[in-house]
Amino acid sequence: MLFSFISSWNEFLFALVVLKDPDVMTLPLTLVRFTGPEGVSRLGPLAAASVVATIPSLIFFAIIQRRLRSGLMAGAVKG
């Protein structure tokens, strides 16, 4: 989990530095744009965009959930 967090954080910083065109920005960079000057956040649009950003992950997990569960159970030791 720690490795995944560090990798995603590094990707955010890399994209923040390299990408300047709004048409090619990644999803986290788009979500950061909801924070205005002086750190004031527009919470309504930010929450809505975060939910929309989460929906594809939830759908993907719902599709592979059965295979993931069976794979975890296949490696379990029966006592």
Side-chain angles (χ1 to χ4, degrees), residues 18-76:
V18 173
L19 299 176
K20 299 298 179 194
D21 186 18
D23 294 335
V24 295
M25 284 191 176
T26 60
L27 190 59
L29 289 179
T30 305
L31 292 176
V32 167
R33 294 179 69 196
F34 287 107
T35 303
E38 300 168 359
V40 177
S41 297
R42 298 178 298 173
L43 293 179
L46 178 60
S50 297
V51 168
V52 169
T54 306
I55 288 174
S57 298
L58 292 176
I59 292 172
F60 178 71
F61 180 75
I63 292 171
I64 67 162
Q65 180 180 9
R66 185 178 311 148
R67 287 192 175 133
L68 183 65
R69 189 175 353 144
S70 67
L72 290 174
M73 291 298 161

